[in-house]
Amino acid sequence: MTTDDTSPWLVVGLGNPGGEYAANRHNVGFMVADLLAERMGARFKAHKSRAQVVEGRIGPPGPGSRRVVIAKPMSFMNLSGGPTTALRDFYKVPTGHVVAVHDELDIDYGALRLKLGGGDNGHNGLKSITKSLGPDYARVRFGIGRPPGRMDVAAFVLKDFSSAERRELDYFVDRAADAVETLIVDGLDRAQTTYNS
């Protein structure tokens, strides 16, 4: 990720718009985006790219801070690539400065893995972004675990977190937001060392 330090960053929290999806496992990217916006003291505004966006800075005041756009695509998960590409072009963000925050079935609940590039692992949001941008963007993968028994994967991701999971959800979302900030300010290696579990 050797891009110019002055280039802005684009953090895309993945989810589905609408109140009925708000607490779903699939919407954890939106939850992290909401917390990052709250930390910046900013409110989401509609953008012509079919996304809600917040612009601000992350990191210590002065030369160490980074210009960041936090986005929540309003296009539904499997069409996330269109708004993401439109935002990247509008804000002139290098692809290496795009960060997708998303739920991940193959990681235990609450665990995080950060990486640059790679496949989509069957995740429709990533599939759509990769189709539009190519694979060379960063991912903050938030573990939601596998569905119990024979539950269908699609049904599982569109269910709300269980009451047991909700007890720790705020802590895990907070940790994921910290991981995004570390990635942007200190780089991927430092973020992986600190947060990959």
Side-chain angles (χ1 to χ4, degrees), residues 39-98:
R39 289 179 179 184
M40 288 172 157
R43 287 173 182 262
F44 281 97
K45 296 187 176 84
H47 189 271
K48 63 182 181 182
S49 61
R50 286 183 307 146
Q52 298 273 325
V53 300
V54 160
E55 297 176 53
R57 298 191 83 83
I58 282 178
S65 80
R66 304 280 181 262
R67 199 153 66 88
V68 178
V69 178
I70 312 288
K72 298 190 295 184
M74 293 287 115
S75 57
F76 286 95
M77 180 69 84
N78 57 356
L79 299 172
S80 301
T84 302
T85 305
L87 288 166
R88 179 201 61 176
D89 295 347
F90 181 84
Y91 289 103
K92 299 180 172 51
V93 177
T95 302
H97 276 200
V98 176

Side-chain angles (χ1 to χ4, degrees), residues 140-156:
V140 174
R141 304 158 72 204
F142 185 111
I144 60 169
R146 301 292 305 182
R150 297 181 173 204
M151 185 190 281
D152 178 58
V153 165
F156 178 69

